[in-house]
Amino acid sequence: DGGITQSPKYLFRKEGQNVTLSCEQNLNHDAMYWYRQDPGQGLRLIYYSQIVNDFQKGDIAEGYSVSREKKESFPLTVTSAQKNPTAFYLCASSTRLAPTGELFFGEGSRLTVL
Amino acid sequence: KQEVTQIPAALSVPEGENLVLNCSFTDSAIYNLQWFRQDPGKGLTSLLLIQSSQREQTSGRLNASLDKSSGRSTLYIAASQPGDSATYLCAVENNNDMRFGAGTRLTVKP
């Protein structure tokens, strides 16, 4: 089945540690995105990528980093510089960047900082 | 900068009732508007996508309408069922920028 796979589903981190969230898609989509979701707020864009080896900052990129070495993969690293990393992280993809059209989401990864 | 608002934040209805969820946006120069469903602890599932040139889209018991001039969209759910309980989010795209509302949490009671 085509879709987006995020792992791990739950992740616990001690303060000062970097963690990497995985996102893999087999939809052959060019564009991929990382969003952060906090209770009572809409999704906020962290990073997006239109093509391999290219990515752009979203609204809240500080403390995060990404890579796009393969079309299928768009991992997100939450660094120790991110002051409030506890959140639900969602990866998404679409056939193109602009206009985006229909967005497909993974099941999410919940990060908790201890 | 586009702002997207969904009111109410939560809604509880008895099974079988027809209901309307609201989404409003501040910039009417949009490419499209999308409605999503999110179950607790899960990702978002796209329900309906309305292009800027369209007035409405239908899928089964769901009907979404779009009024760009007034900056509003509604999601109509007919004959609600307990399985419809979820959070419903709208997202508006314009100028290579997609903005999400905070969602309406719907509970349908048996």
Side-chain angles (χ1 to χ4, degrees):
Chain A
D1 285 88
I4 300 176
T5 301
Q6 289 187 240
S7 64
K9 187 169 178 62
Y10 299 97
L11 186 60
F12 298 89
R13 187 193 94 174
K14 294 181 180 179
E15 286 193 18
Q17 287 182 333
N18 293 353
V19 294
T20 298
L21 308 181
S22 170
C23 178
E24 302 278 335
Q25 56 100 357
N26 60 5
L27 299 168
N28 199 32
H29 285 172
D30 287 321
M32 297 187 73
Y33 313 80
W34 274 105
Y35 288 93
R36 171 178 171 142
Q37 186 176 35
D38 294 284
Q41 297 189 37
L43 276 66
R44 292 183 291 169
L45 183 63
I46 304 172
Y47 268 98
Y48 64 97
S49 168
Q50 184 176 6
I51 196 171
V52 173
N53 292 324
D54 180 68
F55 46 84
Q56 304 295 327
K57 293 181 179 180
D59 297 323
I60 56 166
E62 185 175 351
Y64 300 98
S65 66
V66 294
S67 63
R68 187 90 185 271
E69 298 177 1
K70 299 186 300 181
K71 185 177 183 177
E72 303 79 22
S73 179
F74 191 41
L76 173 74
T77 296
V78 184
T79 75
S80 57
Q82 170 49 235
K83 291 180 172 40
N84 184 22
T86 294
F88 191 53
Y89 292 88
L90 288 160
C91 179
S93 70
S94 61
T95 54
R96 60 186 183 277
L97 183 63
T100 300
E102 189 173 3
L103 265 182
F104 295 80
F105 282 85
E107 289 289 274
S109 293
R110 184 167 299 280
L111 172 63
T112 302
V113 174
L114 303 174
Chain B
K1 183 174 170 180
Q2 179 76 273
E3 293 184 8
V4 182
T5 304
Q6 292 186 250
I7 296 174
L11 180 64
S12 180
V13 300
E15 181 177 5
E17 189 163 300
N18 301 326
L19 61 100
V20 174
L21 304 180
N22 298 297
C23 173
S24 61
F25 47 94
T26 55
D27 183 353
S28 62
I30 67 171
Y31 286 140
N32 58 59
L33 183 144
Q34 202 162 167
W35 282 94
F36 295 89
R37 169 183 173 139
Q38 184 177 30
D39 292 299
K42 302 288 188 180
L44 280 67
T45 300
S46 180
L47 298 173
L48 291 164
L49 172 66
I50 310 176
Q51 302 291 349
S52 62
S53 59
Q54 298 174 319
R55 296 280 295 182
E56 65 178 347
Q57 282 284 348
T58 298
S59 176
R61 294 182 294 108
L62 306 180
N63 176 277
S65 67
L66 174 64
D67 183 345
K68 285 195 305 178
S69 61
S70 66
R72 296 176 64 181
S73 175
T74 61
L75 179 66
Y76 175 83
I77 302 178
S80 59
Q81 303 170 358
D84 295 330
S85 297
T87 296
Y88 292 82
L89 297 92
C90 67
V92 178
E93 181 178 10
N94 53 340
N95 295 330
N96 189 25
D97 184 45
M98 184 172 285
R99 296 287 162 179
F100 287 79
T104 294
R105 188 174 69 253
L106 173 66
T107 302
V108 181
K109 298 181 177 180

